[in-house]
Amino acid sequence: MSRLLDNKLSRRRFLGLSSCALATVVVGSQVKVLRALAKSGEVGDLTRLPDKSVFTSCEMCVNKCGVIARVRNGVIYKLDPNPDYIKSRDMLCARGNAGIKAMYDPDRLKYPLIREGKRGEGKWRRASWEEALDLVAKNLTELGEKYTRAGTMFLSTEGFQEHFFLMLAECYGSPNTVRHPTLCLASNIQGFGATFGTNPTPDVLNADYIIMSGANRAEAFITPDTIDLLKGDGGRRKLVYLDPRFTKTSAKADEWYPIKAGTDMAFILALIHVIVTESLYDRGFIETMTVGFDQLAVHIEPYTPEWAAAECDIPAADIRRIAREFAAAAPKAVYYQGRRSSFFSNDTQMRRAMAILNAIAGNWDVPGGMIPNGKIKLAEHVYIAPWYDDIPDRLDQGSVTYLSAKDGAWLHFRDRVLAAEPYPVKGMMIYKQNPLQAAPNRAKTLQMMEQMEFICTIDITMSDTAWYSDVVLPEATYLERMDPVESLPGILPVLSLRYQCAEPLFESKPNLWIMQQIAKRLDEEVFESFDYTIEEFVDHQLSNNPAAKQMLEEKGVYYESPTPVYRSSYGKPLRTKSGKIEIYSEKYAENGLDPLPVYTAPEAPPAGRYRLLVGRHAYFTHGTTQNNPWLHDLMPENTLWLNTQEAKKLGLKHGRMVQVKSPVGVQTLKLEVTEKIRPDCVYMAHGFGVLSRGLTNIYGKGACDAALIEDKACPISGNAAMHETFVEISPA
Ligand SMILES: Nc1nc2c(c(=O)[nH]1)N[C@H]1C(S)=C(S)[C@@H](COP(=O)(O)OP(=O)(O)OC[C@H]3O[C@@H](n4cnc5c(=O)[nH]c(N)nc54)[C@H](O)[C@@H]3O)O[C@H]1N2
Ligand SMILES: Nc1nc2c(c(=O)[nH]1)N[C@H]1C(S)=C(S)[C@@H](COP(=O)(O)OP(=O)(O)OC[C@H]3O[C@@H](n4cnc5c(=O)[nH]c(N)nc54)[C@H](O)[C@@H]3O)O[C@H]1N2
Ligand code: SF4
Ligand SMILES: [Mo]
């Protein structure tokens, strides 16, 4: 039989499952996956030429690399990179290759399921789509009557079919969409947005000097451009890297500083101090393109390198030298902001400091600088959402200074649900989000879910969140769907199209179909907005661009220029209040916020406790790929990184089980004694310690960071502050 399945055929696992009746009902039997595949034929001799090659795009992480699926007899036997796809070109990372196993995974969701026992007990009944969808529509209708339509929240995370889910929320009439940005990058969007009017992308391949802090690019952007970047370009480009941990990026950097966590702003303000006091900035650029430099010059006076050195554990001489080198390389010099900014509660102001340093280097929209993202336009999807008179404001309205009406503020929203303030929310519709792993303080998320009258999750696996739902609907995986065209922004913006590579296995269905079926049951008027096929939808999206349609068909990707276009923002007002780059933010001053970033030191870990850090691991995407059979084999569980000297002090040996206790939870996992982390921090990879017995590879393995992290947040953007939790470690 094919390599696609051999992983699951080990006798141990097979027996393990068949001896557990509950799990068998949930995940279906392994034999059924084999049968489904057998029906579509053997994979056969892999040396023969493939029958069919289909363009798609990887859904294993946000990067969306270009993929060509090789298909024989209806079975996908290999995923290859699409060489025409500029960013990913000739490679797919480990997760991208393992995408095939997301489809041929015995643990995948196969049928609609309806909960039988208590929530989280794991007793499920296989249901027909008809019955499951009727139940969803009935609950949505009843909840709407009881609590208004705002009484149901719609949680979702980026994905090519997310549009239809957000449309359902709007057409149903709930303002309460709660998306991932406040667990991810909301402070970056806010901090850079307040300065440049947008969150730009660093042009790393053309930069001569890069300072990267709070971003582990070698494990978060595992693409050829990262490899080009890390190769160092014959010594032309210098990479200075700041991370309390020694990561894969540290290994490739020219200089690595194990900065004290939470003090990046001190380092940045000191760089600005040197550049301003030594007049190393770009005067002409500052005069024509920015506002507020004079206020900055006064503001940074106290922030000397000597002061910063004591804060962030980086020698003053190095800070001074790095500032001079950065300024000398400018404008081909960038302070790289990364993507995730859910670190500390001062995150938005810290990102402002990053943006200001970039601005005074004059690196705006030039080669090697900070480039505003281009985006290729698609024909707009116009639909009419019904109007309901009784819909209140968002539940989290007013909870943070700058609330995104589309994304909400995740942790604030949860607090208001728990307080039923200002109104009750009793229904949850969830698409492609797994808050029981992703949102800090898992106990609180469970509490929120417990008080819900109805929870429906649409997923491809039995995630922890699905496990605690009432109805679970199986979406077809990305390889089994045609998806809408996605316009991916960036320095090299592209259009990406996912063609269907294989028939959906079992009874899984694409999200568009699921949304259509729910809409139809809710209201004929609502259904009108969903009444098209995916092919018709794609044709409409491309109706203003026949060249794009042709190139997508021929190459699986469309771009207008294969090389970056610079200076397109010059001569036009930026999307800030003044139309210029705002070093000093009037907007912030008017809102009672510091108009220039003011440093406050993070709380130090109390004696005997350690700061818990989270961050990317190259094999895994968030809490979603740990159970994937191929990736699971690479790393079957997570460990707690603890510095050697601290382990000695605690008398704890490498490999022993330890208990990790925070103010909100306790977890147990294996200790990894290592020099790769500062003595005041500990780290664990994300996505283990699951609650769901439907994830048979990882259930019972490792520990869950979300169960330990306290729910603190940035008051400006609402972004979660995931690195402000201190933990105690003791023998388990
Ligand atoms: N402790 C901790 N928490 C974190 C982070 C961290 O590093 N540590 N990272 C944060 C960041 S940056 C982010 S962006 C968020 C991400 O967290 P989430 O927004 O929850 O996203 P994922 O964890 O990717 O979960 C997505 C869910 O979608 C499912 N899924 C995958 N593909 C499909 C599909 O095609 N269709 C459907 N319907 N479902 C699918 C997966 O099985 C999974 O259950 O987590 C944040 N939370
Ligand atoms: N392999 C993989 N790639 C991914 C993802 C994934 O889950 N897996 N998720 C994608 C998503 S949604 C996102 S948002 C991005 C996130 O990717 P990145 O933006 O690179 O962010 P992280 O890896 O979460 O965190 C970066 C590093 O910050 C370090 N750090 C912690 N505290 C501090 C501090 O105070 N100062 C400094 N200087 N460093 C600190 C951590 O140790 C960590 O190594 O990755 C994307 N790519
Ligand atoms: S980086 Fe890896 S997982 Fe992410 S889209 Fe590319 S191939 Fe897929
Ligand atoms: Mo993210």
Side-chain angles (χ1 to χ4, degrees), residues 281-295:
Y281 50 86
D282 184 336
R283 191 180 299 273
F285 179 85
I286 285 169
E287 276 168 11
T288 53
M289 297 289 286
T290 71
V291 293
F293 181 77
D294 294 344
Q295 288 104 314

Side-chain angles (χ1 to χ4, degrees), residues 181-315:
T182 52
L183 302 171
C184 174
L185 76 173
S187 311
N188 253 337
I189 294 175
Q190 183 48 237
F192 276 80
T195 317
F196 292 114
T198 183
N199 184 21
T201 299
D203 184 16
V204 289
L205 289 186
N206 293 305
D208 288 344
Y209 205 90
I210 300 166
I211 306 175
M212 191 177 285
S213 75
N216 176 13
R217 175 136 178 167
E219 293 186 75
F221 252 103
I222 313 165
T223 49
D225 51 356
T226 298
I227 290 169
D228 290 347
L229 160 71
L230 299 174
K231 272 197 305 211
D233 208 11
R236 172 179 67 79
R237 185 188 309 115
K238 185 159 181 179
L239 175 62
V240 173
Y241 181 65
L242 278 56
D243 196 314
R245 297 190 301 130
F246 186 90
T247 64
K248 304 241 179 338
T249 309
S250 314
K252 291 291 181 186
D254 296 284
E255 294 177 23
W256 165 58
Y257 295 92
I259 186 171
K260 190 194 289 173
T263 67
D264 297 65
M265 196 205 276
F267 174 76
I268 301 164
L269 291 173
L271 294 182
I272 298 175
H273 176 98
V274 176
I275 292 173
V276 172
T277 53
E278 298 186 6
S279 299
L280 305 176
Y281 50 86
D282 184 336
R283 191 180 299 273
F285 179 85
I286 285 169
E287 276 168 11
T288 53
M289 297 289 286
T290 71
V291 293
F293 181 77
D294 294 344
Q295 288 104 314
L296 177 73
V298 177
H299 180 76
I300 51 79
E301 268 171 26
Y303 298 127
T304 63
E306 287 68 26
W307 162 82
E311 287 298 323
C312 63
D313 285 354
I314 300 177

Side-chain angles (χ1 to χ4, degrees), residues 157 432 434 438 458-459 461 475 481 616 622 624 686 705:
T157 288
K432 207 178 172 285
N434 184 14
I458 303 161
D459 207 299
T461 59
E475 190 179 18
R481 319 188 292 248
R616 298 294 162 256
H622 309 142
T624 76
H686 179 51
D705 54 0

